Amino acid sequence: MADDRTEHILDAALTAFCQYGYGKTTMQDVARAAGMSRAALYLHFASKEDLFRAGSRRAHSRALGEVDTALTQQGDVLSRIDAAVTAYFGGLLTQISSSVHGGEVLDASLDVAGDIVSEAHAALVARLASALHTAAAAGEVQFSTSDATAEDIVLLLLAVADGLKKTSADPQLREQRKALFLRLVTAGIAPMRQPPTESNAP
């Protein structure tokens, strides 16, 4: 099937990009990795840029699917959002992060497929904010407590998740700091308890 062949080509392309870096990878490298001729590869993709963009679009689509799955799991809303963010970036970076050319491939993502990255990021924010809105409607959280919107909170969570990667090489320490931050956010958006009135006071 054509879709199976496309998937195979994109898998081969990712392997090639991780092996050689975006700049040095040629269509011949991808064709060789896919076990096909360069002419056959050009029947599917007109250029290395088109191939890279298709791979980026697939990767982000899969990552958003992981987000949707994580948000349907059991647990409080911030725990589910944390799991969703971890799944999103983990899915995008798993193979790239193990490559010596990972940084270059990430840079290429912004240069060659920046619009795809931006659209996926906006979709991620929308999904996470929607989870917060649902939790607010159920009385689990309250935005007025912190004078923030769901989108504000999501963007802050994403910024902290990104920033923590640069604070320490120790993953355990990063997890501890993230857990502390999530506790602070949880306290900041917890629904305010109504003080007892004379009629229901003990």
Side-chain angles (χ1 to χ4, degrees), residues 54-69:
S56 179
R57 187 173 289 107
R58 181 183 71 161
H60 283 90
S61 177
R62 287 179 172 179
L64 288 172
E66 293 296 323
V67 168
D68 292 336
T69 298

Side-chain angles (χ1 to χ4, degrees), residues 109-175:
S109 294
L110 297 177
D111 293 338
V112 180
D115 57 326
I116 296 172
V117 174
S118 295
E119 289 171 9
H121 186 269
L124 171 64
V125 171
R127 281 165 163 78
L128 301 183
S130 177
L132 277 174
H133 282 300
T134 300
E140 181 183 346
V141 298
Q142 181 175 314
F143 303 133
S144 60
T145 308
S146 58
D147 192 26
T149 67
E151 289 75 14
D152 290 335
I153 295 168
V154 167
L155 291 173
L156 180 60
L157 290 171
L158 291 173
V160 169
D162 181 62
L164 282 175
K165 301 174 193 172
K166 306 164 186 173
T167 62
S168 172
D170 183 352
Q172 184 175 1
L173 179 58
R174 292 199 303 268
E175 283 298 314

Side-chain angles (χ1 to χ4, degrees), residues 70-93:
L71 291 176
T72 62
Q73 301 304 306
Q74 297 296 317
D76 64 272
V77 66
L78 286 182
S79 294
R80 289 185 287 114
I81 285 177
D82 179 44
V85 171
T86 299
Y88 181 81
F89 290 107
L92 289 176
L93 301 176

